[in-house]
Amino acid sequence: MFANKKIVLGISGGIAAYKAADIVSWLTKNGAEVHCVLTEAASEFVSPLVLQALSGREVVVNEFVTGPGWGIVHIDLATGTDLLAIIPATANIIAKIAAGIADDALTSTVLAATCPKFIAPAMNTHMYENPATQQNLQTLQQRGWQVMPPASGRLACGAVGKGKLPAVELIEEQLHRLISATDEFISNMDLVGRKVLVTAGPTTEAIDPVRYISNRSSGKMGYAVAQQAAARGAEVLLVSGPVSLQPPAGVRCVQVESARQMRDAVLSAYSDSDVVIMAAAVADYRVAAPAEQKIKKTADNQELVLQLLRNPDILQELGSQKQKQVLVGFAAETNNLEEYARAKLQSKRADLLVANDVSRSDAGFDVDTNQIIIFGADGSRREYPLCSKLQAAKYILDAVVEKLAAKN
Ligand code: PMT
């Protein structure tokens, strides 16, 4: 699976360091050339000998390794590398990388490496939530690092909270995606320095505390856009309605439920965004007066009439306040696709409008594929073949990159 891929796996000194051994084994079994680089502290948690046996290669802890095949160690490690991953990453290593410090083999390799980079922080909750750590992680994201947020659970210190290294299988899933995309990744970091806001999923509008009105959006399209934008180096904020997907690595995710919550989250990030992509299926109506208690079935309420109010049209609002942003809307239609899509493009003052025919069984809602037509405010029309939502996301981002270039 990963033949000809050179992976540098950095391991820093946290209790989760031992889990890196499983990842080394998985990468090696799948054909990757794995080079493990440990901090001094990491070598206290996991034996270099174990990693050497699993990877079949010398493990670097000390920058001053000499011997056959070695020149300047950190340069040798960084050269020709397809992916550099740090698993687990302590608050200390994150801070050092953010500050550009290069005082050991791992940090020097990081500074010398120009390949895609992935980091999986793991530490005590307070350390993770500390503004210094959060700011450092943000800095890494802005520089194009894929940051995989830690999981919540019982930590080594006995506390329960956020900071746990995510399950090894989830990390492997992310690495798989990144390694598979590395060739494209290297030539395609065209969104570095850009802030991209993506909405995804449905909104839910309460009827009472247990029931709601919603739609069939799974979030797959929006999450694919967020993942691709992050893979191309953007700083991505994903505003997501309730879905069962994991936010992609390196993407900051704000969870919302109703259209009005989505509107607030989107508007508060709007002025700071370079690109906004509205893939969410926002409910057009909400219940005028949701019941405070569960509505009971009684002999005399054989019918239940709900009065619905129009929700704010977020995209329209964004269009009316647009300044520098490239604004991308979607149109989910079951008939007259082109006519309705063009009308939405104009009425919502979007730069691009992605039309999808949601009456098809292989496109639109809750499937892994889509067939899109992208309309431009300049009158352009580009139709793409049926493809995966990830591929559709790439087409959309290609069009966005063109618009950004034209605006600047
Ligand atoms: O999530 P998936 O299962 O992967 O499905 C993907 C999708 C079908 C949801 C997606 O491809 C899509 O088409 N998203 C837009 C769905 C939609 O609400 O379309 P619309 O034609 O009703 O709305 C037009 C645009 O206005 C959309 O960008 C929408 O986000 C936005 N809108 C709509 C209503 C509203 N009140 N506020 C909005 O901002």
Side-chain angles (χ1 to χ4, degrees), residues 199-202 215-222 259 278-284 311-316 328-333 344 348 353-354 356 358 364-367 370 389:
T199 65
N215 59 63
R216 292 174 41 225
S217 171
S218 63
K220 287 178 182 173
M221 188 65 245
M278 291 287 300
V282 186
D284 286 315
N311 265 330
D313 188 320
I314 308 170
L315 182 58
Q316 198 152 42
V328 185
F330 272 69
E333 306 295 348
K344 279 180 185 167
K348 304 199 184 205
L353 200 114
V354 182
N356 46 190
V358 294
F365 289 109
D366 201 15
V367 284
N370 210 354
K389 283 188 172 163

Side-chain angles (χ1 to χ4, degrees), residues 105-164:
L106 179 54
T107 48
S108 304
T109 305
V110 167
L111 217 51
T114 54
C115 60
K117 301 186 186 84
F118 169 89
I119 195 159
M123 65 197 76
N124 162 272
T125 309
H126 297 308
M127 293 173 81
Y128 176 69
E129 287 174 351
N130 190 295
T133 305
Q134 288 301 311
Q135 201 172 349
N136 290 332
L137 284 170
Q138 217 176 343
T139 302
L140 297 195
Q141 266 180 344
Q142 282 161 2
R143 293 182 194 153
W145 283 71
Q146 302 288 303
V147 179
M148 184 168 193
S152 294
R154 192 175 175 76
L155 306 173
C157 56
V160 176
K162 199 161 187 178
K164 213 174 142 62

Side-chain angles (χ1 to χ4, degrees), residues 23-39:
I23 294 168
V24 173
S25 166
W26 172 77
L27 286 168
T28 309
K29 273 188 205 146
N30 282 293
E33 175 188 322
V34 185
H35 297 260
C36 298
V37 189
L38 276 65
T39 61

Side-chain angles (χ1 to χ4, degrees), residues 63-396:
E63 166 92 274
F64 305 103
V65 195
T66 50
W70 286 108
I72 300 171
V73 174
H74 58 275
I75 303 297
D76 287 355
L77 285 167
T79 306
T81 296
D82 293 286
L83 180 76
L84 184 149
I86 304 189
I87 307 165
T90 58
N92 184 50
I93 194 97
I94 293 166
K96 279 165 68 172
I97 295 169
I101 292 171
D103 65 351
D104 63 5
L106 179 54
T107 48
S108 304
T109 305
V110 167
L111 217 51
T114 54
C115 60
K117 301 186 186 84
F118 169 89
I119 195 159
M123 65 197 76
N124 162 272
T125 309
H126 297 308
M127 293 173 81
Y128 176 69
E129 287 174 351
N130 190 295
T133 305
Q134 288 301 311
Q135 201 172 349
N136 290 332
L137 284 170
Q138 217 176 343
T139 302
L140 297 195
Q141 266 180 344
Q142 282 161 2
R143 293 182 194 153
W145 283 71
Q146 302 288 303
V147 179
M148 184 168 193
S152 294
R154 192 175 175 76
L155 306 173
C157 56
V160 176
K162 199 161 187 178
K164 213 174 142 62
L165 191 73
V168 165
E169 304 75 55
L170 291 179
I171 298 178
E172 288 173 354
E173 206 178 288
Q174 295 286 358
L175 290 176
H176 186 191
R177 278 206 206 109
L178 286 174
I179 298 167
S180 314
T182 47
D183 297 332
E184 208 170 331
F185 203 113
I186 289 162
S187 60
N188 235 353
M189 292 294 280
D190 49 11
L191 286 170
V192 171
R194 301 294 192 174
K195 291 188 177 170
V196 177
L197 169 57
V198 183
T199 65
T203 64
T204 54
E205 310 296 331
I207 297 173
D208 68 15
V210 296
R211 304 181 179 96
Y212 57 75
I213 299 174
S214 190
N215 59 63
R216 292 174 41 225
S217 171
S218 63
K220 287 178 182 173
M221 188 65 245
Y223 276 56
V225 172
Q227 184 190 326
Q228 284 300 317
R232 289 163 77 151
E235 187 186 331
V236 183
L237 172 64
L238 174 62
V239 177
S240 174
V243 295
S244 57
L245 304 172
Q246 282 282 331
V251 167
R252 191 158 69 85
C253 185
V254 172
Q255 312 276 356
V256 296
E257 289 181 356
S258 67
R260 286 185 296 172
Q261 287 171 357
M262 183 169 277
R263 172 186 174 272
D264 291 348
V266 168
L267 283 184
S268 68
Y270 188 42
S271 62
D272 205 25
S273 304
D274 298 299
V275 179
V276 181
I277 303 177
M278 291 287 300
V282 186
D284 286 315
Y285 293 91
R286 68 178 182 277
V287 177
E292 280 182 16
Q293 307 297 337
K294 182 180 171 190
I295 300 169
K296 303 303 283 179
K297 281 182 292 181
T298 59
D300 23 285
N301 67 0
Q302 293 300 317
E303 280 183 11
L304 178 65
V305 178
L306 293 173
Q307 189 193 355
L308 301 181
L309 295 179
R310 268 288 272 277
N311 265 330
D313 188 320
I314 308 170
L315 182 58
Q316 198 152 42
E317 218 168 324
L318 298 178
S320 67
Q321 296 176 20
K322 190 166 62 165
Q323 292 179 328
K324 58 171 183 173
Q325 296 87 355
V326 171
L327 188 56
V328 185
F330 272 69
E333 306 295 348
T334 53
N335 58 325
N336 297 341
L337 180 71
E338 301 215 15
E339 181 192 333
Y340 291 154
R342 283 188 200 278
K344 279 180 185 167
L345 174 71
Q346 207 174 23
S347 67
K348 304 199 184 205
R349 293 194 59 231
D351 295 288
L352 296 167
L353 200 114
V354 182
N356 46 190
D357 177 353
V358 294
S359 67
R360 289 174 59 149
S361 60
D362 55 1
F365 289 109
D366 201 15
V367 284
D368 292 324
T369 48
N370 210 354
Q371 203 263 305
I372 58 168
I373 307 175
I374 303 181
F375 295 96
D378 55 5
S380 61
R381 177 193 184 280
R382 290 185 200 166
E383 183 162 357
Y384 298 90
L386 181 71
C387 59
S388 68
K389 283 188 172 163
L390 272 181
Q391 182 58 52
K394 287 184 198 169
Y395 293 140
I396 295 165

